[in-house]
Amino acid sequence: MTSASNSTPSRGQIDHLLAILGLLADGISATGNAAELLDRIRSLAEPGHELPDALVLAEWRQELSGVIDGLNAARELRRQRALAAVSAARVDKVSGLPGATVAQAEIEKAAGLERPPLLALLVFEQLRALNARFNSTIGDQVMAFAAGELARLLADAGALFRWNGPAFLLVSSFDHTKREALERKLNDLAISRIVTTVGLEDRSIHVKVTFSWHVQVIASAERADRISRDLDEVVASRISGK
């Protein structure tokens, strides 16, 4: 009597294995052991082909399991790379802060709250002058420094984002009942001494970083796109000096 471990698998078992393989065929690499395994198992469907015994079938199943693990690992790697690419696209390259796209999403969430948080714009009005006097590289260096200082000084006040142009946006942890407290904090920040040193080709210069600020109250059921337009208008007016 032939033992179960050496018995020939049924046609149903083979068909089941072929069905699994068919689902994976498109994802299996055309090189290496995966392709060889694919050819071996596919050959079982040929008329008159001798079926392998149970031990061989078990080995093939183990190989197939390895192929599946490899496919899953490759898929996870692609997913992680895609997420990293999305994450990188959402981060402002100059400041290292989440950019305007992320800020817009936060505004949309805030607008839907029963008690929405206050928004605060901080506008670095010297940026245009720095770029005009030196170059955008110098402006970017100062903006990066300013972003780090603001993130540190406002860490307990909410989440900071790079908005458009020379502006940063704080989605605060304050609601309208604490507007005065937020405004005092922003005023203290505006009059504080924040200085950085920037190296030029022939010398170094000290740049005092100053900000003007604006607090935006989100009205009940206000549209997020309207809020964003209002913020952009404030930035434009500060840049133009109006």
Side-chain angles (χ1 to χ4, degrees), residues 92-168:
D92 176 63
K93 294 180 181 180
V94 173
S95 66
L97 295 172
T101 300
V102 186
Q104 179 65 38
E106 290 298 313
I107 292 172
E108 290 177 2
K109 287 195 293 186
L113 298 176
E114 183 178 346
R115 298 179 65 177
L118 294 170
L119 305 177
L121 271 177
L122 295 107
V123 184
F124 176 41
E125 298 176 7
Q126 303 149 276
L127 180 61
R128 177 178 289 183
L130 276 174
N131 289 340
R133 182 179 177 185
F134 302 105
N135 54 59
S136 60
T137 300
I138 299 299
D140 287 350
Q141 289 180 30
V142 178
M143 279 295 284
F145 169 79
E149 288 297 288
L150 287 178
R152 179 178 65 84
L153 295 170
L154 295 172
D156 61 345
L160 188 66
F161 304 86
R162 172 77 187 272
W163 193 243
N164 298 319
F168 299 93

